Each structure stands twice: as C-alpha cells, then as structure tokens.
C-alpha cells in the first residue's frame, strides 16, 4: 500500500495531539508513515508514539538546522522523503507553520495543495478532503488532481485512535538547501497552563458581554473546571480585556473543538467564521434575539455572571 506521510508536530519531546489525529486519518487513505524532524534525544520516544497510532514506518531526521532556522529545513526534509518514498499523499497540521511548510512542499513537488481540511476519505482519484468554507455555510469536497496531494488538516477533525503498527525507524540524511531565515533569539511564552487554543477539545470564550477585563474571571473559572482553552471576541480583545493571541474569528484564530461555549458574544459573522465548525456550540446571552442563537446546539438566555458560576460549580461537583 502506498505511504501517506504525516509530518509529526512535537514540542518538548511530546507529540502534539493533532499529529495523532493525522495518523488516524492517514489510515483511511493508505499506509501511515510518520516524519519526525529535529527531535534530538526524544526522537525514539516520538517514533514509538507514532507507531502506537498506526505508523508502519517512521522517518527520523535530525540536525541543528531544524532548531536554528525557520521552516525551510522541514520543507527540505519532507520534500526529499516524499520523493524518495514515492508517497501517495502528505498530511500536515493546519497551524501557521504547518501551512507554510505544506505550501512550500507542494511547490517543490509540483503538486496541488488543499488547506484547512476538516475531514478526509479515500476516493477513486486519490484522497478526498472536506473543507468548511464561507464562515462554515458550505462544505466543499475536493481532491488534488496533479502530483502528490499535500493536505493540511485542522486540529480536532477526528479523535485520535490508537492502532499499534511496526513503527520501524528509518534514519534519513537531509540535504539542506540553506538560504533560510535564522532564529537569533527565543523568548519563552508565559504559559497559562491551559491547552493551546487551536488544539483544545473545549474552548470557553468571552465577548463584550463580560463588561471588563475582570469579567473574564468567570470565563476562566469555567474553562479551568472543564480543562478548556479561553477564547475572546474581537470586541473584547480590542477593548484590551484579553490578549490578541486569544481572539477567535475571521481575523483571529480558527478553532474547531468538540465543545465551544460563547459567553456574552453576539455571533457576528466574523466571529462565526472562526468557530462555526465546532462540534457542539453552547451560548449564554441575555438577549434572546442575539444572532449566536441561530447556530447553537444549546442556548441559555441569561446573565453570564449568574449562569457561568453555576455551570462551573456543577462541573466541579460532577468531577468530584
Ligand atoms: C474585517 C473584520 C474582521 C473581524 N474579525 C473578527 C474576529 O476575528 N473575531 C470577532 O469576534 N469579531 C471580529 N470582528 C468584529 C465583529 O464584527 C463583531 O464586532 C464582534 O465579534 C462583536 O463582539 P461581541 O459579540 O463580543 O460584542 P457585541 O456584538 O457587542 O455583543 C455582546 C453580546 O453580549 C451580550 N451580553 C451583554 N451583557 C451580557 C451579560 N451580562 N450576560 C450575557 N450576555 C450579555 C449582548 O446581548 C450581546 O449579544 C471583525 C470585524 C471586521 C469588520
């Protein structure tokens, strides 16, 4: 069976969940083969994890280039492995970096690319990807008609499923092309201890309805009870109540969690564009006519400062 290359995103020696989702999807369209780049001493553990989730083969490449330069070394490696393995498709996570890597790999391979897929299935002419477009008003199914399909997939498209496979490691020597942007300094981001917004299975977001920066306290408390990430509408972010990095929407981050809770958010089209593909949507808004109620699975008409603390207390009580 033809190999489906999966670029394994990892941090601090741990495989990120979206990479396990890609391996799960890859099994539908061929034989998953993981590509682990720049993992250093953690490479063996990462390869083993990829094997647990269905990778028959794991291509491992190391080198200071992966840490010292941006994007291009990964493009060099992925394109060279795809050619050598005669891969049937290349899957990459739809992060900012992932999409840049994928676009450059597609260019190197002379292939078509599909970005931000939310589902993947086998088709007669190759893998068929589903995209959710125009603020999630339409589902589009498409396939690459030229070259090795390069597809980026949004986090949370599928639940990762373990499926032990050989995970046979093949060490690869990459011919680096150089000419890359070089990292000159790094500043660790202050961690909130919460999951990464775009990868989180649950997101709790606050909007202008929280009234002030302090109003996000009830949003954070619910998020922490649920083990969720915190999002914000642009109105809340522009007011300076929450960091720009947490903005959800057309000009913010695109999220697609299992559960999205919108508190004090009206549901403007630009906000919907970033969250409408969430599997289950819950809104709390004191205005029964708020547009957000048009797309929710569950809606609560009420004051968020009354509803959220009750919800938090109930979640904590059930968790015990
Ligand atoms: C080019 C462009 C790009 C944009 N990109 C984005 C984007 O990426 N993300 C984004 O979010 N927006 C974006 N916007 C802005 C968008 O149009 C809306 O202005 C914004 O989403 C409104 O945010 P909001 O729902 O928090 O505020 P509002 O529209 O003011 O809604 C606040 C809601 O809170 C409710 N409320 C008030 N008090 C309470 C309470 N105590 N309890 C419960 N409910 C309460 C109100 O009934 C109301 O429905 C963009 C706009 C443009 C023009």
């Amino acid at each position: 069976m033809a190999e489906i290359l999966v670029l394994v995103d990892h941090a601090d020696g741990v495989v990120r969940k979206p990479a396990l989702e890609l391996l799960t999807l890859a099994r539908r369209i061929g034989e998953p083969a993981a590509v682990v780049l720049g993992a250093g001493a953690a490479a063996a553990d990462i390869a083993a994890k990829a094997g647990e989730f269905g990778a028959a083969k794991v291509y491992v490449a190391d080198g200071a280039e992966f840490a010292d330069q941006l994007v291009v070394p990964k493009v060099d490696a992925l394109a060279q492995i795809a050619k050598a393995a005669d891969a049937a498709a290349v899957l990459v996570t739809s992060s900012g970096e992932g999409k840049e890597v994928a676009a450059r790999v597609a260019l190197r391979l002379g292939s078509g690319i599909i970005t931000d897929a939310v589902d993947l299935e086998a088709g007669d002419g190759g893998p068929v990807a589903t995209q959710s477009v125009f603020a999630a008003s339409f589902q589009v199914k498409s396939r690459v008609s030229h070259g090795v399909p390069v597809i980026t997939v949004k986090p949370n498209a599928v639940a990762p499923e373990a499926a032990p496979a050989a995970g046979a490691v093949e060490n690869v020597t990459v011919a680096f092309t150089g000419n890359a942007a070089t990292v000159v300094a790094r500043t660790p981001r202050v961690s909130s201890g919460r999951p990464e917004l775009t990868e989180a299975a649950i997101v709790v977001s606050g909007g202008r309805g929280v009234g002030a920066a302090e109003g996000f306290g009830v949003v954070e408390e619910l998020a922490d009870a649920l083990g969720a990430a915190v999002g914000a509408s642009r109105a809340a972010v522009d007011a300076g109540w929450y960091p720009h990095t947490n903005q959800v929407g057309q000009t913010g981050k695109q999220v697609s969690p299992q559960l999205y809770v919108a508190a004090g958010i009206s549901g403007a089209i630009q906000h919907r564009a970033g969250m409408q593909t969430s599997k289950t949507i819950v809104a709390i808004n004191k205005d029964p006519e708020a547009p957000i109620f048009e797309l929710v699975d569950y809606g609560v008409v009420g004051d968020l400062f009354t509803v959220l603390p009750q919800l938090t207390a109930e979640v904590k009580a059930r968790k015990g």
Side-chain angles (χ1 to χ4, degrees), residues 218 222 261-263 282-286 299-315:
V218 288
L222 177 59
V261 181
V282 177
I284 298 105
N285 197 303
K286 65 182 183 184
V300 182
V301 178
D303 188 322
L304 69 92
F305 292 102
T306 310
V307 177
L308 293 192
Q310 289 182 55
L311 196 48
T312 305
E314 188 64 30
V315 171

Side-chain angles (χ1 to χ4, degrees), residues 3 11 35-36 67 93 109 129 149 154 173-174 197 203 251 259 270:
E3 284 183 7
V35 177
V36 177
T93 300
L109 298 176
K154 279 189 172 186
T173 305
V174 179
L197 183 57
V203 175
T251 44
L259 173 64
Q270 296 89 353

Side-chain angles (χ1 to χ4, degrees), residues 83-282:
K83 278 185 195 162
D86 198 14
V90 178
L91 305 185
V92 183
T93 300
S94 264
S95 58
E97 185 191 85
K99 282 195 268 192
E100 184 172 352
V101 169
R104 287 170 180 253
V105 167
L107 192 68
R108 294 259 186 106
L109 298 176
S111 298
I113 180 171
I114 295 171
T115 57
D116 290 337
V118 293
D119 204 2
L120 216 51
E121 63 197 294
D124 291 342
V128 176
T130 304
Q131 290 161 295
S132 185
V133 301
F134 294 128
S137 326
F138 290 86
Q139 297 260 299
V140 174
K141 284 187 184 285
S142 50
R143 68 174 174 81
V144 169
S145 55
H146 187 83
V148 181
V150 179
I151 302 172
T152 78
V153 182
K154 279 189 172 186
N156 291 310
V158 72
E161 286 166 20
V169 172
E170 185 173 322
N171 289 305
V172 176
T173 305
V174 179
F176 294 109
T177 56
N179 196 24
T182 302
V183 176
V184 292
R186 287 177 200 275
T187 309
R189 192 177 55 184
V190 181
S191 170
S192 67
R194 299 191 181 99
E196 160 61 27
L197 183 57
T198 54
E199 295 173 11
I202 306 177
V203 175
V204 182
S205 287
R208 207 190 321 249
V210 306
E214 301 72 53
F216 266 92
V218 288
V219 175
E220 289 182 332
E221 280 166 20
L222 177 59
D224 291 342
L226 291 167
V230 175
S233 73
R234 179 160 159 179
V237 162
D238 284 352
W241 301 343
Y242 223 68
H244 278 279
T245 46
N246 294 65
Q247 183 182 318
V248 171
Q250 183 186 320
T251 44
K253 289 189 173 151
Q254 311 265 312
V255 300
S256 197
Q258 298 295 324
L259 173 64
Y260 187 84
V261 181
I265 293 177
S266 59
I269 186 75
Q270 296 89 353
H271 188 79
R272 290 179 181 207
M275 47 64 78
Q276 203 164 346
T277 53
S278 305
K279 308 290 180 296
T280 301
I281 299 172
V282 177

